[in-house]
Amino acid sequence: IAERAPDLILLDIMMPGMDGYQMARTLKANPATASIPIIMVTAHTDRSVRLTGLDAGAEDVLTKPVDRAELWLRVRNLLRLKAVDDFLKNHNAILEHRVMERTASLAAANETLRANNEQIQRYIEQLKAAFMSSVEVATIISEIRDPYTAGHARRVADIAAAIGDELSLDAQRQE
């Protein structure tokens, strides 16, 4: 079973050594064999024997002598269910892989956006500095042309800064 897992296990409850209940529990406890459907067969007609088999992990319990047509139909149905289960597990693995790939792609895109945003912020700071320099140059030029307004812009800026200090505005808000 470890080398090549079967699609279904037909298991008698009465076996030498390990009984069918213990075998079913062992198979269902192992992740590699837990999804293999088990049909138990028994000569006992007692309801508690069937319930114990189902509780041990068997998908079905049949009483001997087993009707071949019934056994064939139950095997067919369990194999169909196993095929669907196998398909879903495989599809789930594919989806998990895609999610991991897309998550990595989104993380890379997010890092690129973060880096671009930092660059844009640097450009904005450079533009602000250039604008402020332009305003200062324009102020100086206007003061040179009109001796009556000399220092006026500086005085207004100083008064505005004092008002900002009184209002407890931070440097960024004062700017």
Side-chain angles (χ1 to χ4, degrees), residues 4 6 9 25 38 42-43 49 63 74 78 94 101-102 117 125 139-140 160:
R4 183 176 165 154
I9 296 173
R25 285 186 189 96
I38 298 172
T42 181
V49 171
T63 305
R74 291 178 187 267
L78 286 173
I94 290 168
E101 284 178 338
R102 290 190 179 160
N117 189 39
E125 291 304 317
T139 302
I140 291 169

Side-chain angles (χ1 to χ4, degrees), residues 31-85:
T33 57
S35 66
I36 301 171
I38 298 172
I39 297 177
M40 285 188 170
V41 293
T42 181
H44 298 284
T45 58
D46 188 20
R47 178 177 182 261
S48 66
V49 171
R50 290 192 313 275
L51 292 177
T52 303
L54 293 170
D55 186 53
E59 277 68 27
D60 210 344
V61 179
L62 299 177
T63 305
K64 293 179 190 177
V66 176
D67 180 299
R68 288 181 180 260
E70 180 183 5
L71 176 62
W72 185 87
L73 292 171
R74 291 178 187 267
V75 166
R76 182 197 67 188
N77 292 342
L78 286 173
L79 289 176
R80 283 180 180 167
L81 288 174
K82 183 167 185 329
V84 169
D85 184 59

Side-chain angles (χ1 to χ4, degrees), residues 124-136:
I124 289 171
E125 291 304 317
Q126 289 172 357
L127 287 172
K128 281 182 183 178
F131 175 75
M132 292 308 291
S133 294
S134 298
V135 169
E136 288 174 10

